[in-house]
Amino acid sequence: MPEQQFHSTVPLSPGNQIYLERPRIDVLFEKIIQNPVVIVVAGAGYGKTHAVYSFVRNYNARISWMQLSERDNIGSRFWENFIGGVGLTNPKAAERLAKITFPETERQLERYMTIPLEEIDPAVRVVLVYDDFHLVTNPAVLRFMEKSVNAPFPGITSVFISRTEPLINTAKFFSKGLLGRITEGDLRFSREEMTEYFSIQNIRPGPETLTSIYHDTEGWAFAIHLAGLSLKNAPPGTPYIPQAMRVNIFRLIESEVMGAVSKAMQRFLIKLSLIEHLFPEVLQDLAGNPELIKEMDNIDTFVRFDIYSNAYHIHHLFLNYLKTRQHEIPEAEQKEVWYKTAVWCEANNQKMDAISYYEKVGDYERLIAVCSTLPMMHSDRIAQMLLETLDKAPPEVYETNPFIHTHRVRIFMSLGMLEQAENEIDKTIERLEKRPPTAIIHQILTVCYANKGFIRLMACTYTGDFNFIDLFERCAWHSSQSGGWKVPLPMSVVNIGSFVCRVHKPEKGETERYIHALEIIAPLASRALGGMQWGTDTLARTEFEFFKGNLNEAEQLALESVKRARERDQYEVENRALFYLLRIYLVRGNFPAIRNVLKQLESQLDQVHYINRFTNHDIVTGWYYSQIGQMDKVARWLKNDFEGSDLNSMNLGLEVLVKARCHMAEGRYSAALAALSVVESRKNQFDPGDFLFGLVSLKVMDAVCRYHNRDKSGAFASLETAYRYAAPNGLDMPFIAMGKDMRALAGAALKDKAKAPAAMEAIPREWLEKIRVGASAYAKKLFAVAEHYRTEEEKPVKMRAADKAAAYQSGVELSRREKQVLASLSQGMTRAEIAAQTSLSVNTVKSVIRSVYNKLGALNKADAVRIAASMNLV
């Protein structure tokens, strides 16, 4: 490859490998390499890799070569491999990709897609090669590759080298003639190419021998190579003896490859077959003697150094042969190989591989130490893998390293296996409390009592048993005895699920009871667990007051929640508090405050220990932009038709309701109903529809969608259900926040009340009228904010400053309440709507309006709005 086109962190080295120039194959590649996708598919030993490698090393583009293995079926391992490959052609993109986890879910894929689009230079040609792609079978990895390949990334060609057809859908490219293919038939050596290959190696058999070899090998590149070695090493004049090349491949390797290297080299190669991480640093450590590396370079047809991935790769047929001889390496030496590789993987952030190698060694102390650096909650796939690994641990490990129990509990909780988690906790507590107290024992018991308390907290609204405060008291006590030990980030960040108030029953007093429990346990948990839970009690009250429509109280509580969350790095608490502030300011039509909250939400994206920051940011901002009709600002994954969430079951959240809200904003009511119906059908204890606030919100949205689909009876039935669950606690905001949709539905219910189903008789007319007025006011606020967004958001900063100066120079000073009422007047709201929105009486609103008129010297509403506008007060 020309030096100016070689983009790698590794210097270009020609090595000793023979590259037969195959103009016929190069011409095929030249014709198809401009396509977005190229598939090279053929059986083992047909020279797929050599053909691609020989072409791309002279191709004018940036090349990234990713060697895949079966371990790439683990998402996190594949992601590390993928980022490493991207880093060789685009370090900036790789740096950004390293900040996110493997994109298994639709939302994560959406987040990933934005990075290449922002970082790719369309003028730069890039070729991404995925070697041995047939080894990838994990649906999540295949789905990622399919999404990535089908994305419109300019200037990129993805080349898949595989023994079988890649398991990804490339129909779009095939139908448009944009899919390139190189097959087994293309790769077979012609007789002329075989003859030229032998000539390069200074082998010149007679015509009859050439014919015999070509007949036996059928153009199979690897077999031709081995036949050439046999002829090269044979005494002069020895005739070629035809044989079944495929059947005797190992015999040829034994005699022609292994027989040509030293015993130390043979032993070293067999050791390499025990691992998959053949990076130079690992090999140098395993070899001990640098001369072995030099000797291995002499057989680089079988052990090839890849300048693109900075790693060695063993030909799979040669690797299969080496594996048949692994029994020659004593167990102690095998463990030494695995241990050194595990240490390298751990140091290079390949944690799942490190865990696998430590398991082979039987070093569970190091294995558990690596587990401690993983996030608190795992994906289902990772959790299942870890559980299988820990299940293999011998009994003595559970006695000597009790931390293994806490990791098993985390795994059970990640998988939603709460009963198994509590059983594991009880056994651990019983065992440890019989031992003499030590700092480590206190640390483990701290986590055990905390986890048991959280499990009971999640179950309390179902069982009615709130008798778990003592568990957190014990947790705090053991923490105080643990010698200053603290739970580190990100493990100390509390996960906020669908709703903070995880209350199921609608009876009055249940929510207060739950919040009271949080007020007691939050300080205890926070003190014991590195800040975890700090601010959740205040956030729970924020949520409750907002749903009741008490906006002033909710605002003050939300501000306090933000303050507390920032004190102790509770990023999810902060995010949810900002979400409620966003909703409060939207109800008020306070665009400057909304803009400030959006900036604070954006700043959270820099918090590397906030694992769910991108997903939660998309959800919160998606809700806001869908409300004001700016659907182009909503993350694309939220606008897609509903798919079952791939998130860990403990983290199921508001994304379903927001996704349905996005469908509604686009007028896709059937799609919204489909999303909502899936939530109802799951009946999962972590789903939003299983909580009181979520159920009310879900039924309200269901009613609106059915009304738009002209299913009045269904709409009224859902409205009645929502009212029945909301009424005991006065949860009016989910209805009001439907704006013009609820205004229409409530108006229809009032008009048709006499003819409505019997269920509608349970809803008082006065309540319907209150909701209709409140929803009408909310709709006008939404319109005003949308107008602000379309105009003021693009207004230059200097002009905003000038506006403020003009208002100051006018000499008019209005109180906060007067400004709020004046803003509502300018948005076309009636006195009754302003009263409903501000929680003031109609008479008080009239009094405030008179005060505004007096200060402005206005005669009526139109006059007041005109004067205020001229003074930049509205």
Side-chain angles (χ1 to χ4, degrees):
M1 181 182 296
E3 183 177 352
Q4 68 272 19
Q5 294 302 326
F6 181 74
H7 300 273
S8 174
T9 56
V10 184
L12 178 61
S13 175
N16 300 313
Q17 193 162 342
I18 296 173
Y19 289 100
L20 171 66
E21 297 295 338
R22 302 182 69 186
R24 178 177 61 83
I25 303 297
D26 290 345
V27 168
L28 292 177
F29 275 117
E30 285 286 358
K31 290 180 179 178
I32 63 177
I33 198 64
Q34 296 296 327
N35 290 322
V37 178
V38 172
I39 296 175
V40 182
V41 59
Y46 276 91
K48 302 182 296 296
T49 297
H50 280 255
V52 176
Y53 197 85
S54 180
F55 172 76
V56 300
R57 70 196 182 106
N58 294 304
Y59 184 59
N60 186 16
R62 295 184 179 183
I63 313 298
S64 174
W65 192 294
M66 281 164 266
Q67 185 69 44
L68 304 176
S69 72
E70 291 180 349
R71 295 194 62 78
D72 285 293
N73 287 298
I74 298 174
S76 57
R77 157 65 191 272
F78 170 81
W79 192 236
E80 293 163 354
N81 194 359
F82 181 79
I83 292 173
V86 171
L88 296 175
T89 61
N90 195 327
K92 188 176 179 182
E95 183 179 347
R96 291 185 62 185
L97 292 174
K99 294 180 180 179
I100 63 176
T101 58
F102 170 62
E104 292 188 81
T105 68
E106 191 71 25
R107 70 185 62 77
Q108 292 169 330
L109 282 167
E110 178 65 30
R111 175 62 60 180
Y112 153 72
M113 291 296 184
T114 63
I115 295 175
L117 286 172
E118 293 171 358
E119 298 297 340
I120 288 175
D121 182 353
V124 177
R125 286 286 299 143
V126 176
V127 177
L128 304 177
V129 182
Y130 302 93
D131 201 354
D132 283 341
F133 193 75
H134 57 275
L135 297 176
V136 177
T137 58
N138 177 4
V141 176
L142 292 171
R143 181 166 172 249
F144 165 77
M145 288 304 309
E146 183 173 306
K147 291 278 188 180
S148 185
V149 166
N150 281 278
F153 297 154
I156 291 183
T157 294
S158 297
V159 179
F160 295 93
I161 304 175
S162 178
R163 295 189 200 175
T164 58
E165 286 294 331
L167 299 175
I168 58 175
N169 184 4
T170 55
K172 179 180 78 171
F173 299 112
F174 178 78
S175 64
K176 296 181 179 180
L178 298 176
L179 176 68
R181 289 178 61 82
I182 299 290
T183 64
E184 188 173 288
D186 298 319
L187 292 170
R188 289 181 187 275
F189 271 50
S190 67
R191 179 187 170 98
E192 291 73 22
E193 286 174 327
M194 182 185 72
T195 303
E196 184 180 354
Y197 178 73
F198 285 158
S199 178
I200 290 174
Q201 298 190 77
N202 200 28
I203 303 171
R204 293 179 174 82
E208 291 185 2
T209 301
L210 285 172
T211 300
S212 180
I213 292 174
Y214 193 71
H215 178 269
D216 287 339
T217 61
E218 296 179 340
W220 185 34
F222 189 59
I224 288 173
H225 176 73
L226 290 177
L229 284 180
S230 178
L231 291 173
K232 190 173 185 177
N233 295 330
T238 302
Y240 169 76
I241 302 176
Q243 49 187 306
M245 298 294 291
R246 298 173 190 257
V247 175
N248 295 299
I249 193 75
F250 282 5
R251 186 184 305 169
L252 286 170
I253 291 174
E254 178 72 37
S255 60
E256 306 300 337
V257 181
M258 298 297 278
V261 300
S262 66
K263 293 292 184 182
M265 185 75 245
Q266 291 186 35
R267 195 173 189 84
F268 179 57
L269 290 170
I270 296 171
K271 286 183 178 182
L272 295 188
S273 72
L274 294 167
I275 61 175
E276 294 184 6
H277 296 75
L278 303 182
F279 293 93
E281 300 91 340
V282 178
L283 268 61
Q284 290 165 10
D285 192 17
L286 294 176
N289 180 0
E291 294 301 317
L292 283 179
I293 304 296
K294 293 181 180 178
E295 184 179 358
M296 187 175 66
D297 288 338
N298 293 323
I299 57 169
D300 61 359
T301 297
F302 304 96
V303 184
R304 174 177 61 86
F305 179 71
D306 189 342
I307 56 178
Y308 300 114
S309 63
N310 189 30
Y312 287 89
H313 298 289
I314 302 176
H315 191 284
H316 57 86
L317 290 175
F318 188 43
L319 180 62
N320 289 339
Y321 162 79
L322 292 173
K323 288 181 178 180
T324 66
R325 296 183 58 179
Q326 287 179 352
H327 64 277
E328 299 177 20
I329 307 299
E331 182 180 357
E333 290 187 42
Q334 291 189 23
K335 288 186 175 181
E336 182 183 10
V337 171
W338 291 326
Y339 182 80
K340 288 182 177 180
T341 309
V343 171
W344 185 90
C345 288
E346 183 180 358
N348 287 273
N349 205 34
Q350 299 189 22
K351 296 178 181 179
M352 298 310 300
D353 286 333
I355 289 172
S356 177
Y357 287 123
Y358 281 133
E359 180 198 356
K360 291 177 180 292
V361 175
D363 189 342
Y364 283 90
E365 183 175 349
R366 288 302 314 154
L367 186 154
I368 294 168
V370 176
C371 288
S372 299
T373 66
L374 298 174
M376 178 65 73
M377 304 303 295
H378 313 300
S379 69
D380 289 348
R381 180 178 290 273
I382 295 297
Q384 196 61 53
M385 174 189 167
L386 290 173
L387 183 59
E388 292 172 1
T389 299
L390 297 185
D391 280 344
K392 297 175 186 176
E396 57 268 22
V397 173
Y398 287 84
E399 293 297 324
T400 58
N401 196 330
F403 269 115
I404 194 171
H405 294 283
T406 65
H407 293 300
R408 283 176 61 86
V409 169
R410 285 170 57 196
I411 293 168
F412 284 138
M413 294 178 72
S414 295
L415 294 171
M417 302 166 64
L418 301 186
E419 184 176 347
Q420 293 89 329
E422 190 161 3
N423 289 338
E424 185 87 14
I425 293 170
D426 289 339
K427 291 177 183 178
T428 305
I429 290 175
E430 182 180 3
R431 185 182 303 112
L432 295 184
E433 288 191 335
K434 294 178 181 179
R435 296 186 180 183
T438 65
I440 292 179
I441 295 295
H442 284 302
Q443 291 173 19
I444 299 171
L445 288 173
T446 296
V447 178
C448 283
Y449 280 113
N451 284 332
K452 187 169 183 177
F454 288 134
I455 292 172
R456 294 288 181 85
L457 177 65
M458 286 186 282
C460 68
T461 58
Y462 300 94
T463 63
D465 181 8
F466 283 76
N467 188 26
F468 51 82
I469 305 302
D470 63 311
L471 296 173
F472 288 96
E473 291 174 343
R474 294 185 191 182
C475 164
W477 184 83
H478 281 290
S479 175
S480 68
Q481 304 297 309
S482 63
W485 171 78
K486 289 184 178 180
V487 177
L489 291 168
M491 292 176 61
S492 60
V493 179
V494 67
N495 291 303
I496 302 295
S498 307
F499 294 92
V500 192
C501 296
R502 305 173 69 90
V503 177
H504 178 70
K505 299 176 182 178
E507 287 80 13
K508 188 173 179 60
E510 283 294 311
T511 303
E512 288 90 342
R513 190 180 180 195
Y514 184 86
I515 295 175
H516 179 65
L518 281 180
E519 289 173 338
I520 297 175
I521 69 170
L524 297 170
S526 179
R527 186 165 71 246
L529 304 172
M532 183 184 290
Q533 289 284 329
W534 190 242
T536 53
D537 52 338
T538 312
L539 179 60
R541 287 207 175 275
T542 300
E543 187 173 79
F544 191 31
E545 296 300 329
F546 174 79
F547 271 81
K548 290 191 293 183
N550 298 331
L551 300 186
N552 291 335
E553 294 86 340
E555 180 187 14
Q556 295 307 311
L557 289 164
L559 291 170
E560 179 65 20
S561 297
V562 170
K563 177 176 175 292
R564 290 192 181 187
R566 289 173 179 170
E567 288 173 352
R568 303 191 184 179
D569 298 323
Q570 295 304 296
Y571 308 116
E572 297 217 12
V573 172
E574 178 185 351
N575 179 271
R576 190 59 58 85
L578 290 172
F579 180 42
Y580 283 116
L581 282 173
L582 192 65
R583 299 176 74 171
I584 290 166
Y585 296 142
L586 190 53
V587 175
R588 292 176 176 166
N590 190 339
F591 186 72
I594 289 172
R595 188 165 48 214
N596 180 45
V597 171
L598 290 174
K599 289 179 180 178
Q600 294 181 66
L601 286 166
E602 190 73 21
S603 69
Q604 279 201 302
L605 297 179
D606 296 327
Q607 300 291 350
V608 295
H609 292 299
Y610 183 9
I611 303 300
N612 297 325
R613 60 191 183 278
F614 295 111
T615 297
N616 288 346
H617 183 269
D618 283 349
I619 290 170
V620 171
T621 58
W623 180 90
Y624 166 68
Y625 287 121
S626 68
Q627 290 284 85
I628 65 171
Q630 296 295 322
M631 297 305 295
D632 60 315
K633 291 286 187 178
V634 178
R636 281 181 289 180
W637 67 268
L638 284 169
K639 295 183 284 186
N640 294 341
D641 287 343
F642 182 81
E643 297 176 7
S645 177
D646 293 325
L647 284 181
N648 181 282
S649 57
M650 289 290 288
N651 286 328
L652 285 172
L654 294 172
E655 71 274 6
V656 176
L657 297 180
V658 175
K659 183 181 278 281
R661 189 69 188 84
C662 290
H663 293 334
M664 293 171 65
E666 294 178 320
R668 302 175 63 227
Y669 300 105
S670 295
L673 285 170
L676 298 172
S677 66
V678 171
V679 176
E680 287 193 282
S681 65
R682 280 194 305 221
K683 296 299 181 185
N684 187 299
Q685 62 178 315
F686 305 119
D687 278 332
D690 201 49
F691 304 123
L692 175 60
F693 297 169
L695 179 62
V696 173
S697 301
L698 187 151
K699 284 298 181 182
V700 169
M701 294 170 71
D702 184 88
V704 166
C705 290
R706 291 184 185 279
Y707 181 74
H708 277 287
N709 279 352
R710 300 183 179 180
D711 176 14
K712 271 192 177 182
S713 61
F716 290 155
S718 290
L719 183 63
E720 188 277 332
T721 302
Y723 169 77
R724 181 158 37 87
Y725 276 89
N729 291 283
L731 307 179
D732 291 343
M733 190 51 66
F735 301 87
I736 292 172
M738 285 292 103
K740 63 180 181 180
D741 295 319
M742 181 53 64
R743 179 178 62 195
L745 177 58
L750 285 165
K751 182 178 179 181
D752 297 352
K753 190 167 174 58
K755 300 180 289 183
M760 279 296 292
E761 296 178 4
I763 305 180
R765 174 176 288 275
E766 295 77 11
W767 182 85
L768 279 172
E769 182 60 37
K770 179 178 71 171
I771 294 300
R772 188 189 67 78
V773 172
S776 176
Y778 183 80
K780 293 176 181 178
K781 293 291 186 181
L782 282 183
F783 179 79
V785 171
E787 286 300 303
H788 267 295
Y789 181 86
R790 283 190 285 268
T791 57
E792 296 297 320
E793 184 66 7
E794 303 302 325
K795 195 174 182 181
V797 175
K798 290 183 179 179
M799 188 174 293
R800 290 178 190 157
D803 290 346
K804 292 180 180 179
Y808 176 78
Q809 292 170 4
S810 69
V812 175
E813 294 185 7
L814 300 180
S815 69
R816 178 181 176 184
R817 177 177 291 179
E818 288 170 339
K819 289 178 181 178
Q820 186 177 3
V821 170
L822 177 58
S824 298
L825 282 174
S826 70
Q827 294 159 4
M829 294 177 64
T830 66
R831 290 171 173 77
E833 289 172 343
I834 296 173
Q837 190 262 328
T838 58
S839 300
L840 301 174
S841 69
V842 175
N843 287 333
T844 301
V845 171
K846 291 179 180 178
S847 175
V848 173
I849 291 174
R850 283 195 299 271
S851 176
V852 170
Y853 286 0
N854 290 334
K855 288 185 178 182
L856 296 177
L859 299 176
N860 51 39
K861 181 175 74 171
D863 201 27
V865 171
R866 178 184 59 77
I867 295 171
S870 68
M871 294 180 176
N872 295 305
L873 295 174
V874 296

